[in-house]
Amino acid sequence: MILHELLSFEILRVIWWLLLGVLLIGFALTDGFDLGVGALLPFVARTDLERRQAINTVGPVWEGNQVWFILGGGAIFAAWPPLYAVSFSGFYLAMFTVLAALILRPVGFKYRSKRPSARWRNGWDWALFVGGAVPALIFGVAVGNILVGVPFHLSPELLSIYDGPFYAKFFGLLNPFSLLAGLVSLLMLLQHGAAWLALKADGMVETRARQMGPLFGSLAAAGYAAAGLWLAFGIEGFAFAEAPVTDGPSNPLLSEIVRTESWLLAYAARPWIAIAPLLGFGGILMAARTLNGHSDVAPLLWSKLGIFGVISSVGLTMFPFILPSSVDANSSLTVWDSSSSHLTLFVMLVSSVIFVPLILAYTSWVYWVLWGKVTQEEIADNSESVY
């Protein structure tokens, strides 16, 4: 009880905002290279043996990597119920598309090598491409829409109401800035997948990954820079009209929100957050540079740093906003008014302190056991027991 009293509602809200970021970044750092390998599959691997080699670099770990995605969704549901309700109802069709694409991955992994038919296997290879490329693109589009603002407002009963017909919940997301954000996300994960293949594969699969990765990284950095300029000069930000009540009830309508000239005003108020985009640029460009060399581990580590920086820059730039409204600024969801109760956040934190380290320990053990390259000779010798 003493700890419960020491951790105020304000502190717990910030902790769970940080933990949500950790879970989402963890998903991008781990399952991100799975998505990247899937999207690269038809291009870096041209023979059946090469494609099986690429698939088996992620085959033993992709299911475990998705734990971070599930934990992120669970954290949103339990720690940020209004965010869960508003975002899932507004992005329903987009999330259904992501889910359909993600379902193709396990089916593709399991069924691809069940028949020797070239047509059969080629079809599943393209299914794995869709299962990698589509989520990578749509996740970025979702982030772009959050920065632009989502067209919803809250009723007095705190029900979320979206403007426009139902199909606008999908096609309305495809605005120019969000498509740019989606392209950056896709390119970033393509480089991440190339960095993973440089570490885990050999032969022509590794060679092609090293050739393609720097191009994707350079384009991702250019797109990230363009998005930053667009945010600075073309997109309004959000701010509280007066100092918010940080430990008050979870009711967004109790606060007054105004539009600002730019999201990047946050860097004038908190200059230290500039470290995040610098890490993003530095990590992406260094990953591209090291892919041109002979290092196996460095490209993946730099790519992880770049992804960490890019995602962190979005969260730090928007803080304390987590889902702004483009049609009614006062309906915007923030860290201070969209969380569960004090007790709920505390109980969840205790559970996280126990179980997240166990997940990290198990994940680290799996990667340690499976360390080393997947060779074509290994695939040929074990063709009946691998993907």
Side-chain angles (χ1 to χ4, degrees):
M1 289 300 296
I2 295 177
L3 183 59
H4 175 257
E5 295 173 358
L6 289 176
L7 292 175
S8 67
F9 204 3
E10 176 185 6
I11 292 174
L12 284 172
R13 281 168 161 167
V14 173
I15 289 174
W16 271 102
W17 174 79
L18 290 170
L19 285 176
L20 178 59
V22 168
L23 294 174
L24 296 179
I25 291 173
F27 169 68
L29 296 183
T30 54
D31 206 43
F33 62 71
D34 298 338
L35 299 176
V37 169
L40 286 170
L41 185 61
F43 310 106
V44 297
R46 297 174 184 173
T47 67
D48 181 67
L49 190 58
E50 289 177 350
R51 292 185 178 184
R52 294 189 75 178
Q53 180 187 18
I55 290 171
N56 279 278
T57 64
V58 300
V61 297
W62 70 269
E63 289 179 290
N65 291 340
Q66 289 199 138
V67 167
W68 297 101
F69 185 55
I70 297 169
L71 288 175
I76 294 174
F77 173 78
W80 308 98
L83 173 62
Y84 183 90
V86 176
S87 62
F88 273 63
S89 62
F91 294 159
Y92 178 79
L93 294 177
M95 290 181 177
F96 183 84
T97 303
V98 168
L99 179 61
L102 290 177
I103 288 173
L104 288 176
R105 287 202 302 168
V107 178
F109 284 139
K110 300 296 183 182
Y111 281 90
R112 181 197 181 275
S113 299
K114 296 298 184 183
R115 296 177 58 186
S117 166
R119 183 177 180 181
W120 170 270
R121 294 187 174 187
N122 188 60
W124 285 117
D125 290 339
W126 283 104
L128 291 172
F129 165 79
V130 172
V134 169
L137 178 69
I138 292 182
F139 287 143
V141 169
V143 172
N145 275 277
I146 291 172
L147 287 166
V148 172
V150 181
F152 74 93
H153 66 274
L154 299 176
S155 71
E157 296 78 21
L158 299 183
L159 299 176
S160 60
I161 302 170
Y162 277 77
D163 291 357
F166 78 94
Y167 55 80
K169 292 185 178 182
F170 183 82
F171 295 105
L173 302 177
L174 305 180
N175 57 76
F177 177 81
S178 297
L179 288 174
L180 174 60
L183 184 60
V184 171
S185 172
L186 175 60
L187 290 168
M188 192 166 57
L189 295 188
L190 284 171
Q191 179 180 247
H192 201 41
W196 176 256
L197 290 174
L199 172 66
K200 293 292 291 182
D202 65 358
M204 290 306 300
V205 173
E206 178 187 2
T207 299
R208 296 189 190 106
R210 289 186 180 275
Q211 291 171 344
M212 295 180 181
L215 174 61
F216 296 134
S218 300
L219 292 174
Y224 184 48
L229 292 173
W230 201 331
L231 275 180
F233 302 108
I235 296 177
E236 293 182 331
F238 294 77
F240 283 94
E242 55 186 26
V245 178
T246 58
D247 58 354
S250 290
N251 185 344
L253 297 181
L254 297 179
S255 302
E256 184 178 352
I257 309 297
V258 296
R259 300 302 298 265
T260 63
E261 181 181 347
S262 169
W263 274 118
L264 299 195
L265 292 177
Y267 290 84
R270 306 189 301 275
W272 60 271
I273 67 176
I275 187 65
L278 291 177
L279 291 176
F281 279 115
I284 291 172
L285 293 176
M286 285 301 298
R289 180 179 179 182
T290 52
L291 275 169
N292 280 322
H294 301 287
S295 174
D296 290 338
V297 178
L300 186 66
L301 294 180
W302 283 115
S303 180
K304 287 179 180 292
L305 181 64
I307 292 172
F308 171 82
V310 170
I311 298 177
S312 297
S313 69
V314 175
L316 291 172
T317 299
M318 292 182 59
F319 183 84
F321 292 87
I322 49 180
L323 191 66
S325 169
S326 60
V327 296
D328 179 21
N330 288 335
S331 295
S332 300
L333 307 184
T334 76
V335 172
W336 311 129
D337 54 29
S338 304
S339 74
S340 293
S341 68
H342 188 187
L343 179 60
T344 299
L345 295 182
F346 177 76
V347 172
M348 289 176 57
L349 180 61
V350 173
S351 300
S352 299
V353 169
I354 297 172
F355 290 106
V356 170
L358 293 176
I359 295 172
L360 289 172
Y362 172 75
T363 301
S364 301
W365 178 78
V366 168
Y367 280 95
W368 179 74
V369 169
L370 298 173
W371 188 260
K373 288 184 177 289
V374 178
T375 65
Q376 293 187 31
E377 291 76 14
E378 181 182 355
I379 301 300
D381 294 340
N382 300 276
S383 60
E384 298 300 322
S385 59
V386 297
Y387 288 120

